[in-house]
Amino acid sequence: MDFGKNLATQFEEIVSSSAIDGYIRQKLECIRSDQDLTTFFRRFALYNLAFPGGVAMLAGAFHMRPDIFQDKQESFIDNMDRSSEIASHIIFAAEDEFATSNRKIRVTHRMMAQEMVKFAKGFSNLSDDAFAESFSELTDYQEQALAIRNGYRVYSLENERDMFLALGFHLASERLADIEFNALSDILSRNFPAFVKAARQVSGPQSIRIYGWIATHTTVEVDHYAYSLRAAEMALEFYTGEMHTKQELYGLILDGFHEFIQHQRNMFEWLQ
Ligand SMILES: [Fe+2]
Ligand SMILES: [Fe+2]
């Protein structure tokens, strides 16, 4: 298989030419007050809510297509399908989302995000009522959530074209999550040291530190991305369907990747 440049190289070029890192940092620098922090975390937490579901659905969609992902080198017919192996490399990113690393403590990243919002609210001395009043437009995130459902093609994952577009979307989301959380961590440490110090000392459910939500995401995303990249390589290698050429599938993955970068820009405009 020779598509000119391999996927990883191609993605790095897209990320660097998009200048998304600088854009994200510039947007995050606009957080100026404790009240801003609360607003930011509420929106950012809601924005992140949908991803694990999208990843799980995407993994399921690949898993259920043994008919189009097969290793033709395998001589034993019942061992030919590779769909579960591809799905495993996609679901890797979602496994972290639903539990801690030993899997028995079912603290989800969503729960950690909720604790962060609650903590930020307390830090800026907002009562629950004042918070509810400030954010009476409780539905303003639904457009973002819909964009993520659309990006992951949750309504059309039976369609091979959409599976590959969604895979590209997923790849970019993992690649950019690393950039985004590291930028956030840097800017919080620099501009809000008292907040960071307190969030590192206070614990939420199962004694997990409030700041753990951010700290975790500054490291796990590199692996999430690496595994999703392997999933894409395998999906291209083992595709045996007749709907698309491998060159077309490669292009669909890149299209999905570009789509997420644009989505990330829209999202940061909304966060602001
Ligand atoms: Fe997460
Ligand atoms: Fe991730």
Side-chain angles (χ1 to χ4, degrees):
M1 183 170 53
D2 179 13
F3 298 124
K5 291 169 184 157
N6 72 34
L7 278 174
T9 309
Q10 190 91 1
F11 291 149
E12 287 316 302
E13 284 182 16
I14 296 171
V15 169
S16 96
S17 67
S18 72
I20 193 75
D21 192 342
Y23 172 82
I24 289 172
R25 284 175 189 271
Q26 178 206 326
K27 291 290 171 191
L28 290 172
E29 288 287 0
C30 298
I31 304 171
R32 287 283 160 214
S33 64
D34 292 348
Q35 175 80 43
D36 286 352
L37 262 186
T38 307
T39 305
F40 169 78
F41 277 123
R42 174 176 185 267
R43 292 191 160 198
F44 192 55
L46 287 171
Y47 165 69
N48 276 289
L49 194 158
F51 283 95
V55 179
M57 291 178 80
L58 183 66
F62 274 85
H63 178 79
M64 289 192 285
R65 295 306 302 274
D67 57 318
I68 56 167
F69 297 107
Q70 297 184 347
D71 183 357
K72 295 293 189 188
Q73 308 293 322
E74 172 61 55
S75 56
F76 179 49
I77 190 168
D78 278 32
N79 285 17
M80 280 171 80
D81 63 85
R82 292 290 173 268
S83 56
S84 79
E85 198 178 340
I86 298 167
S88 167
H89 286 75
I90 299 172
I91 200 79
F92 181 90
E95 286 164 356
D96 280 338
E97 294 292 333
F98 292 105
T100 59
S101 54
N102 81 2
R103 294 180 55 221
K104 290 189 176 145
I105 297 174
R106 308 305 294 180
V107 172
T108 71
H109 285 186
R110 172 61 190 155
M111 291 159 71
M112 291 165 82
Q114 288 170 318
E115 291 302 316
M116 176 56 90
V117 177
K118 198 181 201 178
F119 178 80
K121 173 192 71 74
F123 195 82
S124 61
N125 292 313
L126 269 180
S127 67
D128 286 359
D129 286 347
F131 180 91
E133 204 171 306
S134 307
F135 302 108
S136 57
E137 275 296 308
L138 287 171
T139 57
D140 64 354
Y141 71 95
Q142 287 180 351
E143 211 174 297
Q144 298 299 322
L146 180 64
I148 294 164
R149 292 205 293 279
N150 287 337
Y152 274 95
R153 271 77 182 168
V154 302
Y155 306 110
S156 54
L157 281 171
E158 296 265 302
N159 178 304
E160 293 173 27
R161 184 173 185 275
D162 282 342
M163 285 170 74
F164 280 84
L165 283 167
L167 184 57
F169 189 87
H170 168 60
L171 275 153
S173 83
E174 299 298 349
R175 180 65 188 86
L176 265 54
D178 180 61
I179 293 173
E180 178 187 87
F181 272 98
N182 277 289
L184 178 60
S185 173
D186 291 349
I187 285 164
L188 288 176
S189 299
R190 184 164 9 94
N191 297 349
F192 296 93
F195 177 86
V196 171
K197 189 178 177 201
R200 284 188 187 282
Q201 284 165 349
V202 177
S203 300
Q206 304 281 353
S207 308
I208 292 172
R209 304 281 182 190
I210 299 296
Y211 200 77
W213 181 55
I214 292 168
T216 295
H217 288 98
T218 60
T219 59
V220 295
E221 302 300 348
V222 172
D223 278 349
H224 292 180
Y225 176 64
Y227 277 76
S228 59
L229 198 52
R230 184 71 194 115
E233 287 166 353
M234 282 192 290
L236 288 171
E237 182 182 351
F238 296 126
Y239 180 76
T240 52
E242 291 175 355
M243 302 268 289
H244 301 283
T245 64
K246 295 201 181 195
Q247 184 72 56
E248 283 168 359
L249 298 177
Y250 184 83
L252 290 170
I253 293 173
L254 292 181
D255 287 349
F257 197 94
H258 277 291
E259 182 186 318
F260 183 82
I261 291 182
Q262 186 52 48
H263 169 72
Q264 185 83 334
R265 285 182 180 270
N266 296 344
M267 189 278 287
F268 269 94
E269 294 300 329
W270 171 73
L271 278 179
Q272 208 174 22

